[in-house]
Amino acid sequence: MSAQAISELEAAAQIIMAPPDIVSNEQRHSAESIFLNFRKSKSPYGLCREILENSQNQYVMFEAAEVLKGAIIREWSFLLDTDRSSLRQYLVQYITSHEVPHFVRDRIIQVIAIMVKRTSIDDKGKERAVILQEVENLIINGESEKKLLGCYIITNLIQEYATTVKSADVGLPWEVHFKAKKQFEATDLKRIFQFCVYLISEVVKNDPPYDGIMAQLTRHLLQITERILTWGNVSAILPKRLIGIYESVYESDQSCALKLSSAWGEVMFNPEFLPLMFQIYWKVRDVDELAHHAMTCLVQLATLSGAVVSNVPNRVKYLHSYLVNFFKLVSNVTIKDKESLGISSIVRKIVMFYVGDFYKLPEPLIHDTLLDEVTRLTCLFCEGAVREDADPDADRFFSESLENMLEAWNSIYHDFHQITDESITSCGMRIFNKYVQCHLAQPDGIRIPDTGGGNNVDEDIEDNDRIKYKEQLQIVGLFGRCVLSHSLPVLFKILEARIASLLSHLLVMQHRAMTVNEAAVLDSIYEDIHWAVLISGHVLCMESDGETAVIPADIMRYSIEQFKNGKVDKDDSVDALVYVDARPGLPDRAEYLDHTIRVAFNVLRLCAIEDLAVSMKLGHLWSPEVSSSLMWFMKRWYRTYLLIPLDNYFNEVGYVFWSCLEKDSDCTQIQIEFIINKIAANLYNFQSEPVVLKDTVAVFSDAICTKRKVPYIIKTEAMAKLISLAENLQPGSLPSEVLRGLYKGFVSAGVYITSSSEKNKYYETILNPLRLRFKNIITQENFAKVCQDDQVQKVVIDLLECLIGIAKGSQMASVDTLFDFLSPILAELPVFLTFYKDYQVIVQLILELFGQCAKYMLCYLRPLDSKKLYESSLATVQAYAKCNGNRLSTETFAEESSCQDLSLVLDVFTCILSRDCIELFQATNQRELVRVTAADVALFGLNFIMPLMTLELLKFPNLCAQFYHLLVLINDIYPEKIANLPQDMLASLLKTIELGLTDFGNDIAHTALDFIHGMSIYVFRSKVQDTPFGSAVKAFLKLTMDLALSHQFNSDMMSNVSATIYCLICSFEDEYQMLVQTLIHLQSDPLVAERLSEAFENLIQGVCWTNQRDYRLRFRNNFEKFIANVHGFLLVK
Amino acid sequence: MADIEDTHFETGDSGASATYPMQCSALRKNGFVMLKGRPCKIVEMSTSKTGKHGHAKVHLVGIDIFSGKKYEDICPSTHNMDVPHVKREDYQLTDISDDGYLSLMSDNGDLREDLKVPDGDVGASLRTEYDAGKDILCTVLKSCGEEVVIAVKTNTALDK
């Protein structure tokens, strides 16, 4: 019988492995079904043993191992103890005595590991200890091949215990997995570790290169050691979800800290242990595949924490030993690129975990070695990073290492500089100098000239330097502020020297074309300037996102000091800033300028030179990268320094900053005019440089968001000019986001004008021209004819962009003014949309405008105004639906276009809905009764676009997600609106939800479950079980249960599934009982039916159907066990 | 870029140019542009630059509005690109001739019979709907001297 079965399987395997041209599809299918049936066979142990013994077909052998695995998991509880242990012994004996292909061997070892784990749950690991003993003997005494086999078994065992949340062994609930893990951790993990350490100490007695088996064994040992050191020692108190994150973090290569109990002290504090680990690394560092594992061990050891190091003397001793060994390593080797990553990670982690203990170390170690070595390494990696930057194809090892080192410095600086300020300062100066040097061209610096001048830089994908190197720059800025008397002169000297070269270049270029060589020199000047500006910006200003920017205290102190020492002159400093626009050269008495002012003055001077270059028709030679960096600097300068308030900052009379930067000084006013003029100039001059424009608008947006400063800006002449420039630009000359940003800025600024008449006047200046422009368009007699005219379209597009900007800039204080302006225009838009129905750009802008109005204005609007907005929105969507319903297009891009449009429509409704969550409008005496709620609008609107939402369109993942989220949102806020939908609408809605459960992937299924959950809560609370709505909801009970039983939901979703099912049972208990009975009756195998019925009984143990929290939680736990159990024995197709 | 600058289409009726120039940076997604001499709808637009201190260039991907073919081009953002005049007009379908031509009536009552039934699904559905006696509106796309029916819409009682 079995011989026949085996030969049948072998024949099938041959068909499956045959090349496609030899066998037919039917043959292949029938062969596959033979194996599928084989996998489902009950008690296949005898057959599998026979296959392993007798079959020569590797595929069949592999399948046999696979079938064994499935059967063991499924039938474990039915097996007798003797059967289990004889099977396990057989398998161990089998792999030690047979030569089998590695994939068969691996699978069999996995089966053994699963069996060991299963047994250990019952016998508390007694048997496992015996097996480990056997394996250890095997590794020590066995022949070379057997040694490796032993390592495989240990590796698999560890793997089997390591993951609990996503364990391959699905037959157990998570709690049991976790308990097994903890038990293994407490008893055998340390034992294995000690065993490995012992073997490693044997390995280091030999010098590399190691021969084949030795190398393999070493690799296994290091891997096991690494695995134990990266073991997720998570506390048992954490919830499952967090533990799941820990476990997946391990897989993603970002291991968590080495946190050990005090029992590990004897291993970790053994004086020979750390030297051994460094020694093995030293020996294998030239062998890539070994070095990596050894390095990970060292990195993990740098994170030793937990109870084991709670005793301070031990802790410090460990740290001391670690550092001594570490410095011995790094001072004796030439660090290779890949290696730098490990070394820098060690520094970063040891600082992260031990910085507080540094001062407890013996003095010389800190001063002479620690700081010095860390500084040396930082500078070394900085140089390496420069080399990598010059080669676009190079891996970024040193660059990443530099980041690690600088991150470490951040902690060292903050936790440590009070203790040993002087040493830190000198380290800071070394690193600052190195960093500056690395970014300057030769001869001043060591930057490698850019040879790939023609390389394309993709601006939409690649970050620019100030984003890419932000963290680095911040820390370098910090170091710069430690040594201001050094760093500021370095910076202004670089700027001044480069500006001088730039000016002479520009003068030459006015008369003749550049040579190739000159162009390269010019590029190099730009690069130097660019970096000098970036570094200056970071030294002068600290990051201030979300808080008030203040002048760094170090800079204040330094400025006062210079003034007191009589080294600077207040008037010279003021003059330099005031006349920066008038003369491109350096003032005669430059040496009397305050150093901070002198740096800023040079950057302002660069802005003036940029305008000069454009006016000399040399704009095409100017670097847009530099323009962007200049604008970035302006933003920071304005934010931190300009218009400093009178109080609390200053107590020194006659102080230089006071005259240059104080809010009422002429000098400040001139700088503000300068900046706003510069913004206008850029908008005019750099229309073809989108990135420069973006940074320019960023300066403007930033400038008008500080309440205190806005009035000073609004009253400038430059601002009036800027507004008029924006109005009079040729339509289409600014990119969409720039135009929007500008108008957003204009209207936001108005909020801070105190006098209401002035405020109105200000808004009129901005809004009136737009109103006129709109009126001129729509009142044209022949509008229907000329609307397709390209010039008219351009005007319409620009206008809509401005309106979107205005909507985005609305705030509570301005919303009434702005909505009074917008509302008549919005009311015209449905008609407008019909005119432009074939012009997608305009259609989308109209839809977007409504979305933005709903998002930024609706929550502040008075009820009557809201109603107006609802009406216009609905009418617009209706117009859209009317134009596009029943329409078939031949355009290739039609589907994507509809997807974009509908996504905007959904945005409108989503934003409108949030109105019912947040209402901030100012209460007035108006007692209008507006009965329309946002949910009505959304549902009514959805009704318009439902016919357009085809199944094809829902296959666009974003649109699909947006659509389902909207449905859930409506359901969350207003379930009763859903319940009372007309029958046909309800039916189509529920059909959509049903599709969502199965057709669009996990995320959408999740959302659909949320929806069902929401509905079932509503049904339960309002007792509408017997309505048509109730019975529609009832249908989901069977559906969800079926899907859960047939593995259609992934394990992450189980808690949502259980919550939904629980809630449904609360309303439909009878239905549930019937469902259970049907399911049990459907089982043909009485054993399975019995287990299923038992499982269902356990499922409702201790649960009442009252929708109370504790019952709900109990059901959740039961359900998880239920699913783990049932999935084990129930084979559902 | 020469191939584009050389191709100026003249429309038969008006004598006006079929395209007009626009600065590259002012183009926008879902708008139109001439790529390799064909009127295209822009489906992708990104900017890059030559070297770190170089000037912006615009990378355009467009789809031929008539043939559906994909074209690409890259152009300094300061340069001008040709933009086609694209017009769309709706006509009432009054008849389909035996040789596959449509009889179309414009809003102002003018009749034309020079356009063919579109290929593929749209054409097939156009015929069935017409045979079923439904009221059909055809959208005609016109640019660079070419004209074609790109969409058909069945008017339902609701829409009227």
Side-chain angles (χ1 to χ4, degrees):
Chain A
M1 167 64 198
S2 55
Q4 191 199 342
I6 294 173
S7 59
E8 194 183 75
L9 284 169
E10 284 178 346
Q14 262 159 9
I15 292 174
I16 286 180
M17 306 299 277
D21 50 336
I22 296 184
V23 292
S24 70
N25 251 347
E26 293 76 50
Q27 281 176 306
R28 195 176 293 279
H29 279 303
S30 72
E32 275 166 6
S33 69
I34 289 178
F35 277 104
L36 285 178
N37 282 330
F38 179 41
R39 286 194 182 182
K40 282 184 213 155
S41 36
K42 294 214 164 66
S43 308
Y45 313 105
L47 180 60
C48 289
R49 274 166 85 146
E50 247 174 89
I51 292 175
L52 291 176
E53 289 294 338
N54 300 324
S55 178
Q56 298 302 313
N57 188 310
Q58 301 184 342
Y59 186 85
V60 177
M61 289 163 82
F62 176 76
E63 280 295 324
E66 185 70 35
V67 168
L68 269 181
K69 182 181 152 195
I72 291 278
I73 292 172
R74 211 166 48 234
E75 299 174 6
W76 183 258
S77 47
F78 301 134
L79 289 176
L80 296 174
D81 278 352
T82 47
D83 291 348
R84 292 174 185 166
S85 76
S86 82
L87 180 62
R88 186 186 51 72
Q89 275 160 7
Y90 167 74
L91 290 174
V92 173
Q93 180 266 330
Y94 177 79
I95 48 162
T96 45
S97 60
H98 286 68
E99 288 278 325
V100 287
H102 65 92
F103 51 90
V104 179
R105 179 199 62 201
D106 288 351
R107 193 43 48 101
I108 294 179
I109 293 180
Q110 199 194 4
V111 176
I112 297 174
I114 291 177
M115 294 179 79
V116 171
K117 179 170 170 181
R118 276 293 172 104
T119 313
S120 75
I121 292 166
D122 302 325
D123 75 352
K124 305 265 181 293
K126 252 186 249 148
E127 194 198 49
R128 187 179 58 220
V130 179
I131 292 166
L132 276 175
Q133 187 63 51
E134 282 168 24
V135 173
E136 285 175 9
N137 286 340
L138 192 67
I139 295 177
I140 293 176
N141 303 319
E143 301 153 31
S144 3
E145 289 293 336
K146 299 282 175 309
K147 285 184 198 295
L148 296 182
L149 190 65
C151 293
Y152 277 122
I153 296 180
I154 293 189
T155 311
N156 264 280
L157 212 51
I158 294 182
Q159 183 57 35
E160 211 43 53
Y161 280 100
T163 50
T164 60
V165 177
K166 287 200 171 135
S167 174
D169 181 0
V170 291
L172 294 174
W174 171 75
E175 281 81 5
V176 180
H177 276 299
F178 191 71
K179 221 185 271 168
K181 179 179 180 177
K182 282 283 150 197
Q183 197 258 337
F184 175 69
E185 213 173 287
T187 54
D188 289 328
L189 196 63
K190 196 177 87 188
R191 168 194 175 144
I192 298 173
F193 187 72
Q194 280 171 308
F195 178 68
C196 288
V197 170
Y198 161 70
L199 289 179
I200 289 174
S201 73
E202 291 297 310
V203 170
V204 289
K205 289 179 186 155
N206 306 298
D207 278 326
Y210 300 137
D211 62 5
I213 289 292
M214 180 75 166
Q216 281 193 49
L217 189 65
T218 314
R219 182 164 61 91
H220 277 295
L221 290 175
L222 288 171
Q223 266 173 347
I224 296 173
T225 316
E226 177 192 4
R227 187 66 188 87
I228 297 176
L229 290 174
T230 48
W231 184 265
N233 289 286
V234 276
S235 143
I237 324 165
L238 291 178
K240 180 182 171 191
R241 258 177 52 181
L242 283 184
I243 291 176
I245 292 170
Y246 262 97
E247 287 179 1
S248 51
V249 162
Y250 168 71
E251 285 157 19
S252 74
D253 192 51
Q254 278 266 322
S255 35
C256 45
L258 176 62
K259 202 171 168 191
L260 297 175
S261 67
S262 47
W264 285 76
E266 53 167 327
V267 193
M268 292 293 147
F269 302 140
N270 180 338
E272 280 157 28
F273 171 62
L274 281 175
L276 173 69
M277 295 308 289
F278 276 95
Q279 202 185 353
I280 185 75
Y281 176 71
W282 173 287
K283 292 230 167 173
V284 301
R285 65 184 280 266
D286 289 324
V287 191
D288 266 358
E289 51 186 21
L290 299 181
H292 169 71
H293 301 296
M295 182 52 101
T296 314
C297 292
L298 293 181
V299 174
Q300 281 306 103
L301 287 171
T303 67
L304 182 67
S305 49
V308 68
V309 284
S310 54
N311 170 307
V312 175
N314 279 347
R315 190 180 159 83
V316 175
K317 216 162 102 195
Y318 178 83
L319 173 67
H320 188 242
S321 162
Y322 192 99
L323 287 176
V324 168
N325 283 293
F326 176 65
F327 292 136
K328 203 160 86 192
L329 173 74
V330 292
S331 55
N332 283 308
V333 297
T334 312
I335 296 172
K336 291 180 290 189
D337 50 3
K338 229 186 226 168
E339 199 175 25
S340 71
L341 270 184
I343 291 190
S344 60
S345 302
I346 290 180
V347 174
R348 185 169 65 89
K349 296 210 164 167
I350 204 109
V351 166
M352 194 193 296
F353 283 86
Y354 286 95
V355 75
D357 298 305
F358 279 2
Y359 71 95
K360 296 174 195 149
L361 292 167
E363 275 278 297
L365 184 71
I366 307 176
H367 284 224
D368 302 342
T369 322
L370 199 153
L371 291 177
D372 193 57
E373 278 295 310
V374 176
T375 309
R376 185 181 70 84
L377 290 173
T378 311
C379 293
L380 188 73
F381 296 159
C382 195
E383 285 171 19
V386 171
R387 285 196 299 276
E388 287 172 354
D389 282 345
D391 177 3
D393 301 325
D395 288 314
R396 292 281 181 268
F397 294 119
F398 283 119
S399 313
E400 209 178 304
S401 304
L402 178 63
E403 304 263 324
N404 280 336
M405 296 305 284
L406 291 176
E407 206 181 316
W409 272 111
N410 202 7
S411 311
I412 297 180
Y413 179 82
H414 284 112
D415 290 356
F416 210 47
H417 81 288
Q418 281 102 345
I419 300 162
T420 166
D421 196 26
E422 212 171 287
S423 335
I424 293 271
T425 312
S426 87
C427 298
M429 181 163 352
R430 272 165 71 191
I431 296 171
F432 180 83
N433 284 347
K434 180 59 75 183
Y435 194 84
V436 172
Q437 205 186 21
C438 282
H439 289 99
L440 287 187
Q442 291 149 359
D444 297 338
I446 54 170
R447 192 180 72 224
I448 298 162
D450 182 16
T451 45
N455 276 335
N456 265 339
V457 184
D458 203 324
E459 298 191 312
D460 297 328
I461 300 167
E462 249 173 79
D463 282 338
N464 54 19
D465 288 342
R466 63 171 186 266
I467 294 170
K468 210 162 33 175
Y469 301 115
K470 188 173 173 190
E471 270 98 35
Q472 291 185 10
L473 284 163
Q474 281 173 0
I475 296 167
V476 170
L478 182 76
F479 285 137
R481 285 194 296 277
C482 290
V483 286
L484 284 167
S485 60
H486 170 76
S487 63
L488 292 179
V490 165
L491 290 170
F492 65 65
K493 275 179 201 152
I494 296 170
L495 284 169
E496 281 159 14
R498 298 304 179 274
I499 292 173
S501 328
L502 181 63
L503 281 171
S504 67
H505 255 82
L506 289 177
L507 284 178
V508 174
M509 287 177 310
Q510 221 181 346
H511 303 293
R512 62 171 174 82
M514 265 194 308
T515 65
V516 177
N517 194 27
E518 280 168 335
V521 173
L522 187 63
D523 253 15
S524 160
I525 296 175
Y526 283 137
E527 182 73 0
D528 282 3
I529 290 179
H530 162 71
W531 277 101
V533 170
L534 288 189
I535 297 174
S536 304
H538 280 281
V539 173
L540 260 49
C541 314
M542 296 183 292
E543 252 356 88
S544 62
D545 288 335
E547 42 192 299
T548 311
V550 290
I551 301 177
D554 291 328
I555 290 190
M556 292 281 256
R557 217 174 297 127
Y558 179 63
S559 176
I560 293 169
E561 217 172 89
Q562 288 174 80
F563 186 70
K564 279 190 180 153
N565 294 342
K567 286 184 187 159
V568 303
D569 185 277
K570 189 184 72 184
D571 296 333
D572 284 325
S573 302
V574 169
D575 272 5
L577 292 173
V578 167
Y579 296 110
V580 67
D581 219 359
R583 51 182 186 215
L586 200 60
D588 300 333
R589 284 167 53 85
E591 67 271 28
Y592 294 104
L593 299 188
D594 176 279
H595 288 176
T596 310
I597 299 290
R598 189 161 166 187
V599 172
F601 157 74
N602 277 304
V603 183
L604 291 174
R605 192 154 71 101
L606 273 166
C607 291
I609 294 173
E610 182 178 68
D611 291 348
L612 183 73
V614 173
S615 71
M616 286 156 71
K617 303 260 177 286
L618 295 172
H620 59 290
L621 297 176
W622 192 265
S623 155
E625 183 79 25
V626 168
S627 313
S628 282
S629 303
L630 292 176
M631 289 324 282
W632 168 85
F633 184 93
M634 285 297 117
K635 185 166 92 182
R636 289 173 87 95
W637 178 249
Y638 170 85
R639 197 196 274 178
T640 312
Y641 287 85
L642 289 187
L643 293 163
I644 42 181
L646 182 66
D647 46 348
N648 50 29
Y649 288 138
F650 302 95
N651 38 21
E652 305 282 329
V653 182
Y655 173 52
V656 182
F657 278 7
W658 181 246
S659 321
C660 294
L661 309 167
E662 186 268 329
K663 61 184 174 52
D664 291 319
S665 77
D666 289 345
C667 183
T668 311
Q669 206 57 37
I670 286 170
Q671 287 177 73
I672 288 177
E673 292 268 357
F674 181 86
I675 292 178
I676 304 287
N677 275 329
K678 181 65 193 152
I679 291 171
N682 280 8
L683 292 180
Y684 191 77
N685 294 331
F686 295 118
Q687 282 166 10
S688 60
E689 292 296 336
V691 179
V692 179
L693 289 179
K694 222 161 83 186
D695 283 319
T696 305
V697 171
V699 182
F700 181 62
S701 316
D702 207 69
I704 49 82
C705 73
T706 318
K707 185 176 177 184
R708 182 171 62 74
K709 299 185 178 182
V710 170
Y712 295 92
I713 296 184
I714 287 190
K715 69 180 184 197
T716 57
E717 262 173 58
M719 180 74 172
K721 270 196 249 165
L722 183 64
I723 295 175
S724 119
L725 174 76
E727 274 163 28
N728 295 312
L729 277 173
Q730 282 290 316
S733 42
L734 290 180
S736 132
E737 55 194 310
V738 174
L739 197 54
R740 289 179 191 189
L742 212 53
Y743 272 84
K744 180 182 170 197
F746 288 153
V747 296
S748 318
V751 173
Y752 301 121
I753 304 174
T754 37
S755 133
S756 71
S757 67
E758 259 179 58
K759 194 189 231 168
N760 288 339
K761 208 173 119 205
Y762 174 79
Y763 276 122
E764 274 313 294
T765 346
I766 294 158
L767 303 179
N768 215 18
L770 295 175
R771 191 180 289 132
L772 275 178
R773 230 193 290 173
F774 184 75
K775 209 169 139 201
N776 286 342
I777 295 171
I778 55 161
T779 49
Q780 290 177 84
E781 280 169 47
N782 50 351
F783 179 60
K785 257 201 140 50
V786 298
C787 70
Q788 298 204 4
D789 194 85
D790 301 289
Q791 200 52 36
V792 178
Q793 281 187 50
K794 270 194 196 173
V795 177
V796 169
I797 289 173
D798 252 23
L799 188 63
L800 286 167
E801 295 284 12
C802 298
L803 299 183
I804 291 175
I806 288 174
K808 285 178 143 197
S810 303
Q811 294 170 39
M812 197 197 276
S814 59
V815 77
D816 291 341
T817 315
L818 296 178
F819 193 75
D820 286 347
F821 157 74
L822 276 176
S823 119
I825 299 180
L826 295 179
E828 300 277 356
L829 290 182
V831 183
F832 224 67
L833 186 133
T834 315
F835 276 120
Y836 282 110
K837 67 182 161 54
D838 286 315
Y839 294 83
Q840 210 194 349
V841 174
I842 296 179
V843 170
Q844 291 189 350
L845 282 172
I846 293 175
L847 293 173
E848 210 182 336
L849 175 60
F850 279 103
Q852 301 299 327
C853 286
K855 187 167 175 187
Y856 293 99
M857 305 181 93
L858 186 57
C859 61
Y860 306 123
L861 286 182
R862 296 164 296 206
L864 266 184
D865 285 342
S866 315
K867 193 169 158 245
K868 279 187 202 160
L869 183 58
Y870 291 159
E871 282 165 0
S872 310
S873 309
L874 269 183
T876 306
V877 173
Q878 191 177 17
Y880 175 81
K882 198 173 155 191
C883 295
N884 291 283
N886 295 320
R887 187 168 189 264
L888 263 178
S889 166
T890 58
E891 284 173 293
T892 330
F893 217 61
E895 224 166 59
E896 278 88 338
S897 305
S898 312
C899 172
Q900 292 171 13
D901 294 354
L902 287 174
S903 167
L904 290 167
V905 173
L906 293 180
D907 266 349
V908 176
F909 294 140
T910 311
C911 295
I912 284 184
L913 265 179
S914 51
R915 148 80 190 215
D916 280 1
C917 307
I918 318 161
E919 265 186 15
L920 300 168
F921 66 88
Q922 285 164 320
T924 56
N925 292 330
Q926 291 177 309
R927 281 256 162 243
E928 335 91 319
L929 260 182
V930 179
R931 287 167 196 276
V932 192
T933 69
D936 292 320
V937 179
L939 279 172
F940 203 51
L942 270 183
N943 207 14
F944 290 139
I945 57 159
M946 276 299 223
L948 303 178
M949 273 287 181
T950 60
L951 207 54
E952 288 306 305
L953 281 177
L954 283 176
K955 286 186 184 142
F956 287 89
N958 290 340
L959 185 69
C960 186
Q962 218 183 344
F963 178 60
Y964 279 97
H965 285 142
L966 177 65
L967 294 183
V968 170
L969 189 60
I970 303 179
N971 192 32
D972 280 353
I973 312 179
Y974 286 111
E976 70 274 14
K977 300 268 179 202
I978 304 259
N980 294 323
L981 280 178
Q983 200 57 34
D984 52 335
M985 232 181 123
L986 181 68
S988 81
L989 184 67
L990 295 186
K991 185 76 204 149
T992 320
I993 295 296
E994 210 179 303
L995 277 178
L997 281 177
T998 50
D999 279 28
F1000 306 115
N1002 284 331
D1003 289 349
I1004 300 299
H1006 204 292
T1007 319
L1009 273 178
D1010 284 349
F1011 189 91
I1012 301 170
H1013 187 214
M1015 286 195 308
S1016 53
I1017 291 179
Y1018 173 75
V1019 170
F1020 179 77
R1021 290 207 182 130
S1022 24
K1023 307 208 171 16
V1024 289
Q1025 285 88 338
D1026 299 328
T1027 60
F1029 176 69
S1031 55
V1033 173
K1034 188 162 67 184
F1036 282 105
L1037 177 60
K1038 181 172 171 0
L1039 184 65
T1040 334
M1041 189 59 110
D1042 283 350
L1043 291 172
L1045 287 177
S1046 55
H1047 299 247
Q1048 306 268 327
F1049 296 123
N1050 72 9
S1051 55
D1052 296 343
M1053 276 154 66
M1054 275 310 157
S1055 65
N1056 298 63
V1057 176
S1058 73
T1060 309
I1061 291 184
Y1062 175 78
C1063 218
L1064 285 166
I1065 301 179
C1066 288
S1067 296
F1068 306 106
E1069 206 184 330
D1070 297 343
E1071 192 71 20
Y1072 168 72
Q1073 295 301 350
M1074 264 159 56
L1075 182 68
V1076 170
Q1077 291 314 319
T1078 325
L1079 272 171
I1080 294 171
H1081 285 307
L1082 274 175
Q1083 302 305 320
S1084 51
D1085 184 337
L1087 199 65
V1088 171
E1090 193 193 316
R1091 290 190 70 184
L1092 189 62
S1093 127
E1094 193 185 324
F1096 270 117
E1097 264 169 45
N1098 291 336
L1099 174 61
I1100 55 171
Q1101 202 114 68
V1103 180
C1104 293
W1105 309 115
T1106 51
N1107 200 18
Q1108 279 162 316
R1109 187 182 141 82
D1110 37 354
Y1111 294 123
R1112 209 159 50 219
L1113 293 183
R1114 191 167 304 155
F1115 183 80
R1116 187 188 69 188
N1117 294 339
N1118 288 352
F1119 189 77
E1120 201 176 302
K1121 288 180 196 147
F1122 168 79
I1123 286 292
N1125 180 8
V1126 171
H1127 280 181
F1129 64 83
L1130 198 64
L1131 292 168
V1132 192
K1133 268 156 260 159
Chain B
M1 225 51 65
D3 51 347
I4 287 172
E5 274 152 18
D6 293 346
T7 43
H8 278 277
F9 286 78
E10 300 293 324
T11 49
D13 41 274
S14 68
S17 167
T19 66
Y20 62 97
M22 191 190 246
Q23 189 167 334
C24 201
S25 56
L27 295 170
R28 51 192 298 158
K29 198 178 159 183
N30 289 333
F32 300 101
V33 72
M34 298 296 288
L35 295 178
K36 311 280 184 245
R38 297 291 306 160
C40 292
K41 174 171 173 172
I42 304 171
V43 292
E44 252 178 71
M45 228 179 125
S46 58
T47 52
S48 62
K49 52 186 182 177
T50 315
K52 190 166 168 186
H53 298 281
H55 289 261
K57 291 183 304 184
V58 181
H59 179 222
L60 295 162
V61 180
I63 292 205
D64 187 323
I65 54 177
F66 293 111
S67 72
K69 274 197 193 146
K70 196 176 197 175
Y71 294 99
E72 286 187 67
D73 204 350
I74 190 156
C75 168
S77 65
T78 45
H79 282 208
N80 281 339
M81 296 284 278
D82 284 332
V83 176
H85 294 288
V86 178
K87 290 249 166 3
R88 305 192 200 207
E89 254 166 292
D90 288 345
Y91 293 89
Q92 200 75 39
L93 178 65
T94 57
D95 193 16
I96 302 178
S97 72
D98 296 338
D99 54 352
Y101 279 88
L102 304 165
S103 292
L104 300 171
M105 187 172 70
S106 71
D107 280 353
N108 50 21
D110 294 344
L111 267 179
R112 57 184 297 184
E113 298 185 320
D114 55 340
L115 291 171
K116 277 198 151 180
V117 177
D119 300 331
D121 292 348
V122 177
S125 113
L126 177 73
R127 282 178 192 272
T128 9
E129 303 275 289
Y130 177 74
D131 291 342
K134 290 201 179 144
D135 209 352
I136 295 170
L137 213 57
C138 295
T139 308
V140 174
L141 176 76
K142 179 174 168 191
S143 180
C144 299
E146 283 180 62
E147 266 181 295
V148 72
V149 173
I150 50 136
V152 294
K153 182 170 162 54
T154 326
N155 267 355
T156 57
L158 253 178
D159 291 335
K160 279 180 200 166

